[in-house]
Amino acid sequence: MPNNHYHHLVFGDDALARQRDNGSYVAYGAQMERGDDGPQELSDRELLMISRADQFCLATVTPNGWPYLQYRSGPAGFVHHDPASGKLRFVDLPGNNQFVTLGNLAADDRLAMFFVDYPRRIRLKVFGRGTVLQRGEARAIEITVEAFDWNCSRSIIPRYDRAYLKELSLAHQKAADEREAGLHAEIARLRARVAELEAGK
């Protein structure tokens, strides 16, 4: 039975009513008919997605209750996972010095991370609680994961960067080389068989 913590975090009465009217309640809202399972643990699937990410959107809550969305990026793997604690962490580089995200987390530690893999057309939402770690001028945000959810790929427009195209090209070349090696082996086998038949005449 899937963990239902995400459902308890995000579905309100109106959403549940609309699901009932729409016919999607059995797939979603019905998960809330039992008690909250509590925080989810990231599996290898989520960790692979996060380790490949070179960008994501970060949402926090302002003191006035408004959602605040920012963009974070870095080399693939810049969001780290600590296997011992299960927490995520990324270095928070200096920006425009408004410090809105940091101020939001100081008042309300809830956040959401939204990852999109455009070439593969997959996306992942991660809900958690963020802590700002400050050492001198170096700063990082550490996230205790609460829940996550995978979204469908229907609305994702695929985009391809150079790294992905290179990866795709290498994969195609490897497959072509393997096919060629197989054909050469088959030709050698057939020639050997022909030689055997001719020798037996």
Side-chain angles (χ1 to χ4, degrees):
M1 190 175 294
N3 186 295
N4 68 2
H5 190 46
Y6 167 82
H7 305 79
H8 279 274
L9 290 182
V10 302
F11 294 156
D13 292 340
D14 189 76
L16 294 173
R18 291 172 187 271
Q19 290 174 19
R20 288 189 181 93
D21 292 343
N22 184 262
S24 60
Y25 178 81
V26 172
Y28 301 111
Q31 300 291 334
M32 295 177 61
E33 291 178 4
R34 68 179 199 277
D36 191 331
D37 292 332
Q40 292 175 271
E41 291 185 13
L42 297 169
S43 73
D44 290 343
R45 182 186 180 203
E46 291 79 44
L47 293 176
L48 178 61
M49 171 79 169
I50 293 169
S51 71
R52 286 175 170 170
D54 59 6
Q55 58 182 313
F56 72 93
C57 289
L58 175 67
T60 54
V61 184
T62 70
N64 295 318
W66 287 87
Y68 184 75
L69 192 65
Q70 283 199 315
Y71 174 82
R72 292 289 189 271
S73 64
F78 80 105
V79 179
H80 302 278
H81 173 254
D82 178 12
S85 66
K87 295 180 180 181
L88 300 175
R89 181 186 296 183
F90 65 92
V91 173
D92 190 42
L93 299 175
N96 56 17
N97 292 327
Q98 290 185 4
F99 303 112
V100 177
T101 293
L102 302 185
N104 290 344
L105 290 175
D108 185 335
D109 64 357
R110 291 176 299 169
L111 57 75
M113 306 166 80
F114 190 70
F115 297 89
V116 182
D117 184 330
Y118 290 99
R120 298 174 181 86
R121 298 184 68 204
I122 53 177
R123 50 187 172 169
L124 172 68
K125 290 180 292 191
V126 176
F127 290 79
R129 296 186 178 275
T131 302
V132 178
L133 306 177
Q134 189 88 36
R135 292 182 181 174
E137 295 187 5
R139 184 172 65 235
I141 296 178
E142 185 175 72
I143 300 97
T144 300
V145 176
E146 284 279 341
F148 59 84
D149 186 55
W150 290 89
N151 288 98
C152 67
S153 61
R154 181 176 54 202
S155 301
I156 301 175
I157 299 172
R159 291 181 172 87
Y160 306 97
D161 58 19
R162 287 190 181 92
Y164 180 79
L165 292 175
K166 182 178 180 180
E167 177 186 331
L168 203 60
S169 177
L170 290 173
H172 281 300
Q173 186 60 54
K174 181 181 178 183
D177 291 344
E178 289 174 352
R179 282 196 300 272
E180 183 178 354
L183 290 172
H184 283 302
E186 181 65 10
I187 291 170
R189 185 188 71 78
L190 292 173
R191 283 178 174 167
R193 180 60 180 152
V194 169
E196 288 176 5
L197 293 172
E198 289 179 344
K201 288 181 179 179

